[in-house]
Amino acid sequence: MNKHSAVVEPATPVSELVETTGHAGSEWLSRYSSSLMGVFGAPQRVLVRGAGCLVWDADGKEYLDLLGGIAVNALGHAHPFVTSVIASQLATLGHVSNFFTSPTQVALAEKLLELTQAPAGSKVFFSNSGTEANEAAFKLARRNTGTGDTKRTKIIALEGAFHGRTMGALALTAKEAYRTPFEPLPGGVVHIPFGDVEALKAAVDETVAAVFLEPIQGEAGVRPLPPGYLKAARELTARTGALLILDEVQTGIGRTGKWLASEDAGIMPDAVTLAKGLGGGFPIGALVTFGAETSSLLSAGQHGTTFGGNPVATAAALATLHALENQHVLANASAVGEHLRSALAGIAGVTGVRGEGLLIGFDLDADVAPAVVQAALDAGFIVNSPGPRTIRLAPPLILTTAQADTFLDAFPAILQTAKDAQ
Ligand SMILES: *Cc1c(COP(=O)(O)O)cnc(C)c1O
């Protein structure tokens, strides 16, 4: 047991229900393909255990996790403090439905309003995922109806946008391959060119209910909005009465070294959606609405969820936020991210490095990104390819410089192996 191992020793290990050891990865993968829907393709590995930034597969191989469950495991795996808080809440009160509330739910809402510097009258709605946080935001936008002759029927999103896979969030998502098989999608969404202030100016008028933006588009390959864009979007939407809704599901909760990636823009949006890193690996999402007017657009009975904001999920998020704050994790994310970006920029074959904190995207000089993912796995590193020549890193925010260096040292050989395999 190293220092990252859970302090909570479970009374009944899960291995009494499922034989977690003694079966080869290949056996689990064949059982997977017979029992799980094929929407994700074949899993890359079968993972059985994690500690800190490391995970181990069913065949005993160790990996440095540089993807963090896609920007989710902010504190790595089996973080002792988060683990013990979740276990203790579950052993006290696990679920109550939203006919009731619980102290952790109220405390988490207050904490999120504090961290997002929300003014008086601001409110929170809890969901279980990013897409559900965006569904709530979509419904909020629909309630920004406009008055008199001005009917706000349109919603603006950007080309390259990813906002989730449920029908409303999918309508906001740009990628044709995700959308087309499921049309008709909820109407009124218009996608405009990425990062183009003139296009935004032309699109935002009094018929627009909301503008949805990711400060950095994660799924599109870690693409930051150009400087000044968020400020321009704020001015335009304020002038016409459209809501400015920021999707910080991937970029929020310390991922960029700040609580919100949009912090430096010096604006107050009307709403922010959060999810991935919020629960430190436990599923939870949130919609934060700024100011009393926006916060009352959805009235009693107009939205709901059975699980959203349940005691265990909100305890997990409270524990995550507490550890992020008290263990100086955001400063670490900034420093290690800076180190990774500057070192990556000096590696032959790496043509462009983007991102902030520990959300990093970089391009390669050939279309070998999927082969790089495979070669990296064989070398003991988990990375991701959001595009044919783009690699994304979103590791735990507790990644050390020494751990980052093991990847930087290994990367030239990984890239060569990937090119040789083409
Ligand atoms: C991941 C993601 C979502 C969807 O979150 P899920 O929890 O997968 O539903 C939405 N928006 C952004 C920006 C994301 O990165």
Side-chain angles (χ1 to χ4, degrees), residues 108 112 126-130 133 274-286 308-310 312-318:
L108 179 62
L112 286 178
F126 288 119
S127 66
N128 311 292
S129 64
L274 301 166
K276 288 193 165 85
L278 179 57
F282 204 92
I284 182 169
N310 110 349
V312 182
T314 49
L318 273 177

Side-chain angles (χ1 to χ4, degrees), residues 344-345 347-354 362-366 389:
L344 281 166
I347 293 178
V350 174
T351 59
V353 185
R354 298 174 299 278
F362 58 96
D363 295 332
L364 308 169
D365 61 357
R389 56 170 62 197

Side-chain angles (χ1 to χ4, degrees), residues 129-132 134 162-164 214 219 247 249-250 275-276:
S129 64
T131 202
E132 287 169 89
N134 285 330
F162 182 83
H163 296 291
E214 299 156 84
E219 301 306 301
D247 179 345
V249 166
Q250 185 159 163
K276 288 193 165 85

Side-chain angles (χ1 to χ4, degrees), residues 287-312:
L287 167 68
V288 182
T289 51
F290 293 80
E293 200 182 328
T294 306
S295 299
S296 57
L297 283 174
L298 287 171
S299 55
Q302 289 190 330
H303 198 45
T305 163
T306 298
F307 291 115
N310 110 349
V312 182

Side-chain angles (χ1 to χ4, degrees), residues 69-93:
I70 318 182
V72 166
N73 298 302
L75 294 161
H77 300 272
H79 189 275
F81 180 71
V82 177
T83 305
S84 64
V85 170
I86 291 173
S88 117
Q89 181 61 52
L90 187 57
T92 306
L93 184 68

